[in-house]
Amino acid sequence: MLPNVLQPREADHVPVLAEEVRVYLGVQPGETVVDATFGAGGHAAILAGDLRGKGKLIAIDRDPTARTYFERLTSRATVSARLLRGDFGVVLPQLADNGVRADAILLDLGVSSMQLDRPERGFSYAADAPLDMRMDPTQDVSACDVVNTWSEKELATIFRRYGEERYARQIARAIVRRRRDRPFERTGELVDTIKAAIPAPARFGDGHPAKRVFQALRIAVNDELDSLEGALPAALEMLRPGGRLAVISFHSLEDRMVKERFRALTQACTCPPDLPVCACGARASFAALTRKPTVPSEAEVERNPRARSAKLRGVEKIR
Ligand SMILES: C[S@@+](CC[C@H](N)C(=O)[O-])C[C@H]1O[C@@H](n2cnc3c(N)ncnc32)[C@H](O)[C@@H]1O
């Protein structure tokens, strides 16, 4: 049970699979914990609590609004902590190169409730707002740039690949046709164009008709897959022997990337499968904390519908 001061407030982002992350990371007093997706600090507060006043918390987030939550956490918890603002795909390799080592690292991917629920950030199809979607508002490229300047082919590709959108081609074509008259500025204009581009019955099935395109744009604008690609090897390198890495993903492309990397690390032998005994003698450097991904219980999804697509995987560096 968390001390009262560390309990998240109701209106904040609710940490997903919080107890499972806590068990997998098994943080002990005196350890160094890296929360590379600090957000509102929900997971960080729990992990900091487990340090029991001894050890270090390194928090990372590319969104400057994380600072307020970080200050709240440090004002309430006895923990030696610092916040590094930046893309974890850049910051983690820098930490690794500088010889920083950690015992527990968490990546809770995607967006936070504070980003989704602030309409002016432009992440949500549910409110009309400027078309933005940058987690780091100082970054050059926003959703507005992508929608107004990328080619029809590029748009169709990201809608299909990152959004698994069935009508990717039709939507991309409608966007390009509409922007010839007037560039897109607002989320509402994009939602209207998406709705008009898809067949009427599809507007009523499988969630909001703009959900998949908005997800695809967010992933493209924030270059989320490249960040993860850069972060994983650095996080693994930073782990001390016995150190644990946990990753929560919300999208099949992210989960596949994590699964494949973890599988390669935990399966030592590289001999062809038809060889009766191992001839390569290779030893695994990591052990899986989860054979299969851990997913939220029905009760958690009921309490927090945003947990629905979460998948947690973890590995431990062998001593
Ligand atoms: C799902 S939220 C994390 C919520 C957090 N675990 C909590 O309990 O409050 C993801 C957070 O990671 C940040 N983020 C996503 N991708 C990032 C990246 N490449 N580099 C740094 N921060 C990132 C987002 O800005 C967001 O605040």
Side-chain angles (χ1 to χ4, degrees):
M1 185 66 186
L2 274 179
N4 252 349
V5 288
L6 293 177
Q7 296 283 1
R9 283 190 205 149
E10 251 172 62
D12 287 346
H13 178 94
V14 181
V16 168
L17 291 164
E19 190 50 33
E20 291 83 349
V21 165
R22 185 182 193 197
V23 169
Y24 288 139
L25 289 182
V27 170
Q28 299 298 315
E31 291 192 332
T32 299
V33 177
V34 178
D35 183 344
T37 46
F38 182 80
H43 286 109
I46 293 167
L47 302 174
D50 287 341
L51 287 173
R52 310 218 169 272
K54 293 191 208 106
K56 238 187 287 171
L57 170 71
I58 301 173
I60 303 170
D61 206 294
R62 72 199 320 195
D63 190 328
T65 61
R67 169 138 319 263
T68 312
Y69 296 94
F70 178 76
E71 281 165 6
R72 195 181 82 192
L73 185 145
T74 49
S75 71
R76 294 164 169 197
T78 330
V79 62
S80 154
R82 63 184 166 136
L83 172 67
L84 305 172
R85 191 183 145 203
D87 176 354
F88 56 57
V90 175
V91 177
L92 287 172
Q94 285 170 345
L95 292 174
D97 288 349
N98 282 304
V100 175
R101 293 295 172 257
D103 303 286
I105 303 179
L106 173 64
L107 285 159
D108 174 20
L109 303 171
V111 269
S112 70
S113 295
M114 291 88 58
Q115 291 164 330
L116 283 170
D117 294 342
R118 287 201 184 125
E120 70 277 12
R121 303 292 304 267
F123 284 102
S124 173
Y125 43 75
D128 185 36
L131 203 44
D132 190 328
M133 302 195 195
R134 289 170 299 176
M135 291 186 200
D136 172 359
T138 64
Q139 171 189 308
D140 287 339
V141 178
S142 69
C144 196
D145 299 309
V146 173
V147 168
N148 286 312
T149 64
W150 286 24
S151 70
E152 185 178 321
K153 193 164 168 225
E154 287 169 323
L155 290 173
T157 303
I158 60 162
F159 297 161
R160 196 176 312 109
R161 190 153 180 258
Y162 300 162
E164 293 169 59
E165 172 58 61
R166 217 172 131 198
Y167 300 102
R169 227 162 20 93
Q170 290 90 324
I171 295 170
R173 194 180 312 134
I175 288 175
V176 170
R177 200 180 308 131
R178 154 69 170 74
R179 78 188 186 197
R180 278 193 207 118
D181 297 333
R182 199 156 38 92
F184 285 89
E185 286 176 7
R186 305 194 55 91
T187 52
E189 297 165 347
L190 181 60
V191 169
D192 290 345
T193 305
I194 295 167
K195 282 186 183 163
I198 61 178
R203 284 176 219 152
F204 304 101
D206 203 14
H208 193 286
K211 184 172 108 182
R212 290 171 294 280
V213 167
F214 270 60
Q215 171 181 291
L217 281 172
R218 195 204 80 212
I219 293 176
V221 167
N222 296 288
D223 210 2
E224 294 180 27
L225 298 174
D226 277 356
S227 289
L228 183 59
E229 189 79 59
L232 287 176
L236 293 159
E237 183 188 337
M238 282 175 70
L239 288 179
R240 296 199 175 102
R244 291 82 57 202
L245 167 64
V247 185
I248 305 174
S249 58
F250 293 84
H251 187 276
S252 58
L253 291 175
E254 290 168 346
D255 182 56
R256 197 175 315 140
M257 208 186 268
V258 177
K259 179 170 98 177
E260 282 170 7
R261 189 166 283 270
F262 285 5
R263 193 195 289 142
L265 291 167
T266 53
Q267 283 179 358
C269 176
T270 53
C271 296
D274 53 351
L275 219 62
V277 285
C278 170
C280 72
R283 296 249 166 118
S285 46
F286 286 82
L289 291 173
T290 51
R291 273 283 152 222
K292 287 201 166 149
T294 300
V295 295
S297 63
E298 275 175 33
E300 175 167 2
V301 174
E302 199 158 310
R303 276 195 315 275
N304 179 15
R306 283 184 183 155
R308 185 179 307 279
S309 49
K311 284 193 174 147
L312 167 66
R313 294 182 189 269
V315 283
E316 175 170 5
K317 199 176 247 185
I318 291 171
R319 286 173 200 274

